[in-house]
C-alpha cells in the first residue's frame, strides 16, 4: 500500500506544480498548465483511479493552503476530476456477452472474458468534460451573458491597447470578434488538450507495461449515433441568446472537435492503400500548427460526419484488395 500512496502523492504534486506554474507568466508555463492532468492520468491508468483520486485531493488541498482557495477549486474541477473520471473509464470493463464476435476483447485473455469501455464513448465523455470545465470557467467571470461579455471586453481592452491611450475603432472590432469566438475556441482547445493528455498517459502506461487493457485500434473510433442529434440541437440552441446560447456554443464546439478527431481516424483508415500515405498524414498534422488549421478542422469534421452517414470505413474494409501486379 505504501508504494501506490507515494505514487499518488508524487503525481498530485507534479500536477499541482504544473497547474500553479501559470502564475509565473512564462511562456513554458502555458504548456505545463495544459499538461497538468497528465501525471494524474498516468497514475489513474497505471495504478488505478483510487491512486489518482488520492493524488488529486492532496494536490487540491495543498494549492488551497499555499496559493488560494480559488486555485484549489479550479484544480479540482479542471484537472483532478477529469483525470480521475477518464482514467476510470479507460479501465472500465465487463464480462463479454459474445466472445467470438466482440472486437473489443483483450487478446491477452484467451477466454475473451472482458469487454472494454469503447473509445468512442470515452471521446464523447472528453467532450462533455471539456464543455463543463469551459462553461464553469466562464461562470467565474459572471452569472449572466452580459456580465461575462463585459468582463471579457475589459480584459481584452487592457491587453490589446496601451493603458494611457483610448481604444480605437479597429481595436474595438478585434475585441468584439475575439469575444464572439472565445467560448468556442476555449472549448475546442480544452477537448483537444484533454484528448492529448489521455493519449499520452495511455502511451506512457503501455510503454511501462502497466496498461491494464489492450491498446485499441484508434482507426475504428466512432461516436455513438445519437451524438449527431445532440450536435444539431446545440447548434440550434446557440441562437437562443443568453447563457443558454453560450452553453450551446461550447457544447457544439466540443462535439465538432470530437467529430474532427473521428475524421482523423477515417483519414488514417482510407489512406492505408495510398502509396504516399506518410506524406499526406505528415502534411495533415503539420497543417494543425499553421494559420490554415481551421480549414483542416472543417475538412476533418466533414469527413467524420460523412463516415457516419455513408459508412466510409465499413466500405473500405469490405473492398477487396487490389490484384498483384504481374
Amino acid at each position: 500500500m505504501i508504494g501506490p500512496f507515494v505514487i499518488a502523492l508524487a503525481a498530485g504534486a507534479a500536477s499541482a506544480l504544473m497547474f500553479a506554474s501559470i502564475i509565473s507568466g512564462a511562456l513554458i508555463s502555458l504548456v505545463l498548465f495544459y499538461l497538468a492532468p497528465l501525471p494524474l492520468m498516468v497514475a489513474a491508468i497505471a495504478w488505478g483511479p483510487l491512486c489518482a483520486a488520492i493524488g488529486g485531493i492532496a494536490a487540491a488541498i495543498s494549492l488551497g493552503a499555499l496559493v488560494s482557495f480559488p486555485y484549489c477549486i479550479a484544480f479540482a474541477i479542471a484537472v483532478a476530476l477529469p483525470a480521475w473520471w477518464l482514467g476510470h473509464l479507460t479501465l472500465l470493463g465487463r464480462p463479454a456477452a459474445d466472445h467470438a464476435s466482440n472486437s473489443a476483447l483483450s487478446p491477452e485473455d484467451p477466454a475473451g472474458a472482458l469487454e472494454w469501455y469503447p473509445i468512442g464513448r470515452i471521446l464523447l465523455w472528453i467532450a462533455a468534460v471539456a464543455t463543463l470545465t469551459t462553461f464553469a470557467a466562464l461562470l467565474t467571470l459572471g452569472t449572466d451573458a452580459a456580465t461575462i461579455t463585459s468582463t471579457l471586453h475589459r480584459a481584452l481592452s487592457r491587453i490589446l491597447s496601451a493603458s494611457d491611450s483610448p481604444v480605437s475603432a479597429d481595436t474595438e472590432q478585434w475585441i468584439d470578434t475575439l469575444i464572439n469566438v472565445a467560448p468556442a475556441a476555449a472549448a475546442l482547445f480544452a477537448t483537444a488538450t484533454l484528448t492529448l493528455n489521455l493519449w499520452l498517459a495511455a502511451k506512457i502506461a503501455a510503454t511501462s507495461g502497466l496498461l491494464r487493457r489492450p491498446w485499441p485500434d484508434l482507426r475504428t473510433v466512432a461516436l455513438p449515433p445519437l451524438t449527431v442529434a445532440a450536435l444539431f440541437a446545440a447548434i440550434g440552441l446557440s441562437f437562443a441568446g443568453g447563457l443558454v446560447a453560450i452553453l450551446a456554443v461550447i457544447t457544439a464546439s466540443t462535439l465538432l472537435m470530437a467529430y474532427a478527431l473521428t475524421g482523423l481516424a477515417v483519414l488514417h483508415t482510407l489512406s492505408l492503400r495510398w502509396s504516399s500515405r506518410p506524406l499526406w498524414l505528415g502534411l495533415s498534422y503539420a497543417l494543425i500548427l499553421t494559420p490554415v488549421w481551421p480549414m483542416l478542422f472543417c475538412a476533418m469534421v466533414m469527413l467524420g460526419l460523412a463516415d457516419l452517414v455513408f459508412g466510409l470505413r465499413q466500405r473500405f474494409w469490405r473492398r477487396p484488395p487490389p490484384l498483384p501486379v504481374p
Side-chain angles (χ1 to χ4, degrees):
M1 282 296 294
I2 300 297
F5 185 75
V6 173
I7 291 170
L9 294 181
S15 286
L17 287 173
M18 295 167 72
F19 182 82
S21 66
I22 197 68
I23 300 174
S24 68
L27 185 60
I28 188 64
S29 67
L30 193 61
V31 178
L32 295 175
F33 176 81
Y34 283 107
L35 290 177
L38 181 58
L40 288 176
M41 283 186 179
V42 173
I45 295 174
W47 287 278
L50 179 60
C51 184
I54 294 173
I57 293 172
I61 294 174
S62 299
L63 284 173
L66 299 176
V67 184
S68 66
F69 183 71
Y71 269 83
C72 167
I73 300 300
F75 179 85
I77 295 176
V79 177
L81 188 59
W84 166 77
W85 180 242
L86 295 177
H88 165 72
L89 293 178
T90 302
L91 300 180
L92 196 60
R94 66 181 181 183
D98 186 351
H99 297 175
S101 62
N102 199 309
S103 61
L105 300 182
S106 169
E108 300 173 359
D109 183 3
L114 289 179
E115 176 186 4
W116 298 98
Y117 198 72
I119 301 299
R121 294 193 179 185
I122 295 178
L123 182 59
L124 184 59
W125 270 109
I126 289 175
V129 170
T131 298
L132 293 177
T133 55
T134 304
F135 189 62
L138 287 179
L139 287 179
T140 62
L141 305 178
T143 56
D144 57 85
T147 304
I148 293 173
T149 301
S150 62
T151 304
L152 285 174
H153 191 280
R154 287 194 301 270
L156 291 174
S157 296
R158 288 194 298 267
I159 295 173
L160 296 179
S161 63
S163 57
D164 56 350
S165 62
V167 178
S168 65
D170 292 339
T171 304
E172 282 287 352
Q173 291 180 356
W174 274 106
I175 291 173
D176 291 339
T177 302
L178 289 174
I179 290 174
N180 290 331
V181 303
L188 290 175
F189 198 70
T191 308
T193 52
L194 273 177
T195 304
L196 177 63
N197 276 304
L198 186 60
W199 181 83
L200 285 174
K203 271 294 183 183
I204 292 171
T207 304
S208 305
L210 298 173
L211 184 62
R212 303 182 187 181
R213 65 178 289 170
W215 189 262
D217 185 0
L218 298 180
R219 294 173 301 183
T220 64
V221 172
L223 294 169
L226 289 179
T227 306
V228 69
L231 172 61
F232 288 132
I235 293 175
L237 288 173
S238 64
F239 297 97
L243 282 179
V244 173
I246 293 177
L247 178 59
V249 167
I250 293 172
T251 303
S253 300
T254 58
L255 293 179
L256 286 173
M257 176 56 77
Y259 274 111
L261 293 172
T262 61
L264 281 175
V266 176
L267 179 63
H268 275 266
T269 300
L270 300 183
S271 63
L272 284 173
R273 292 176 180 155
W274 298 355
S275 58
S276 56
R277 183 174 187 261
L279 174 63
W280 286 107
L281 290 180
L283 180 61
S284 299
Y285 282 101
L287 288 176
I288 297 176
L289 304 176
T290 66
V292 300
W293 69 266
M295 297 177 60
L296 176 66
F297 173 77
C298 293
M300 291 301 103
V301 170
M302 297 304 295
L303 191 57
L305 292 175
D307 179 70
L308 173 67
V309 176
F310 302 107
L312 300 179
R313 283 178 286 187
Q314 289 80 357
R315 294 187 180 188
F316 176 86
W317 293 119
R318 289 198 301 262
R319 188 186 311 167
L323 295 175
V325 178

